Amino acid sequence: AQTVTQSQPEMSVQEAETVTLSCTYDTSESDYYLFWYKQPPSRQMILVIRQEAYKQQNATENRFSVNFQKAAKSFSLKISDSQLGDAAMYFCAWTSGTYKYIFGTGTRLKVLA
Amino acid sequence: DAGVTQSPTHLIKTRGQQVTLRCSPKSGHDTVSWYQQALGQGPQFIFQYYEEEERQRGNFPDRFSGHQFPNYSSELNVNALLLGDSALYLCASSLQLEALNNEQFFGPGTRLTVL
């Protein structure tokens, strides 16, 4: 069965600094997708960034980038120039098709002014 | 462009009661998935509906059932509520023809409290 593990329950970062959130996963499938979602106190899950497993190039979206290591089954999220609005729960998710996402337990990110 | 909407926002029930949660998908989407998010946990997949049929189901008992209507909106029903059913219930929609993109759009959720 597929699993997603986020080993950091909580992380803190100073405003304008860089922080990296970790995610590892386990799957026997070769083609899949990985996502990072942000869930602020408003509860709405917002897609931050996505990565297709067949693409070797790491995805980047403005201040957000990933380090995707397929062989190691690792998918970390780097947030550069952290802003107060980045404070939220961050979930790593895996999917291989049109059906379910498998989510990690989340990392609470605190941004310190 | 309307996003995913869910109703109600909050709900309080007592053990043994039944509850119905509603979801309207993002405009143009035809597939609806439901997730349960317990406090401090990640969302857990309940089931997915497409073409008014349940396509896949997660590890949830038969007390959890659903329905999809011809306009693609969906309901989640939970019977014989238990204290452990207290959670945030998230609805996510997607478009079957864009399955390769695999992106699901989430609603704001319904917070269910069982007393």
Side-chain angles (χ1 to χ4, degrees):
Chain A
Q2 291 80 15
T3 59
V4 175
T5 302
Q6 294 178 250
S7 58
Q8 306 156 316
E10 188 171 294
M11 293 284 285
S12 295
V13 62
Q14 288 289 143
E15 200 175 2
E17 296 294 306
T18 296
V19 64
T20 299
L21 308 184
S22 300
C23 172
T24 59
Y25 59 95
D26 190 20
T27 182
S28 59
E29 301 193 36
S30 58
D31 196 16
Y32 49 87
Y33 295 77
L34 294 161
F35 304 84
W36 278 98
Y37 276 89
K38 170 185 177 181
Q39 187 177 42
S42 66
R43 308 181 324 202
Q44 187 102 35
M45 297 279 274
I46 302 165
L47 178 66
V48 175
I49 198 166
R50 58 185 290 153
Q51 174 79 44
E52 291 89 341
Y54 64 86
K55 289 187 178 179
Q56 298 206 359
Q57 185 174 7
N58 289 324
T60 299
E61 286 288 341
N62 301 313
R63 298 183 295 107
F64 299 88
S65 62
V66 299
N67 183 6
F68 173 51
Q69 303 288 329
K70 190 172 184 178
K73 296 180 181 176
S74 171
F75 181 61
S76 60
L77 173 69
K78 185 172 82 172
I79 306 174
S80 304
D81 185 25
S82 296
Q83 301 174 0
L84 294 176
D86 294 334
M89 283 292 291
Y90 285 81
F91 291 96
C92 177
W94 173 100
T95 189
S96 68
T98 62
Y99 304 134
K100 62 182 177 181
Y101 283 15
I102 305 293
F103 284 88
T105 53
T107 297
R108 181 173 302 281
L109 178 65
K110 294 184 176 181
V111 181
L112 309 174
Chain B
D1 182 18
V4 180
T5 60
Q6 293 185 243
S7 62
T9 305
H10 297 87
L11 203 52
I12 299 175
K13 292 286 188 178
T14 57
R15 281 178 294 175
Q17 285 189 311
Q18 178 264 344
V19 68
T20 297
L21 310 182
R22 296 177 175 81
C23 171
S24 291
K26 179 179 167 65
S27 179
H29 283 185
D30 56 11
T31 303
V32 173
S33 303
W34 286 93
Y35 294 80
Q36 179 195 65
Q37 186 178 13
L39 196 61
Q41 299 296 316
Q44 299 288 318
F45 177 77
I46 303 174
F47 42 53
Q48 185 182 85
Y49 277 84
Y50 172 66
E51 291 188 336
E52 303 179 46
E53 291 191 358
E54 182 183 295
R55 290 209 305 179
Q56 191 180 28
R57 187 180 185 92
N59 189 25
F60 279 82
D62 292 343
R63 298 186 299 108
F64 289 77
S65 63
H67 187 76
Q68 186 180 33
F69 299 93
N71 67 352
Y72 308 119
S73 66
S74 177
E75 289 183 347
L76 164 65
N77 301 293
V78 187
N79 294 323
L81 284 167
L82 304 174
L83 294 179
D85 294 332
S86 295
L88 179 67
Y89 288 85
L90 296 170
C91 169
S93 73
S94 55
L95 182 60
Q96 178 61 23
L97 286 178
E98 293 184 356
L100 287 177
N101 287 331
N102 278 289
E103 182 174 352
Q104 295 186 359
F105 291 78
F106 285 82
T110 294
R111 171 73 66 191
L112 172 64
T113 302
V114 182
L115 302 176

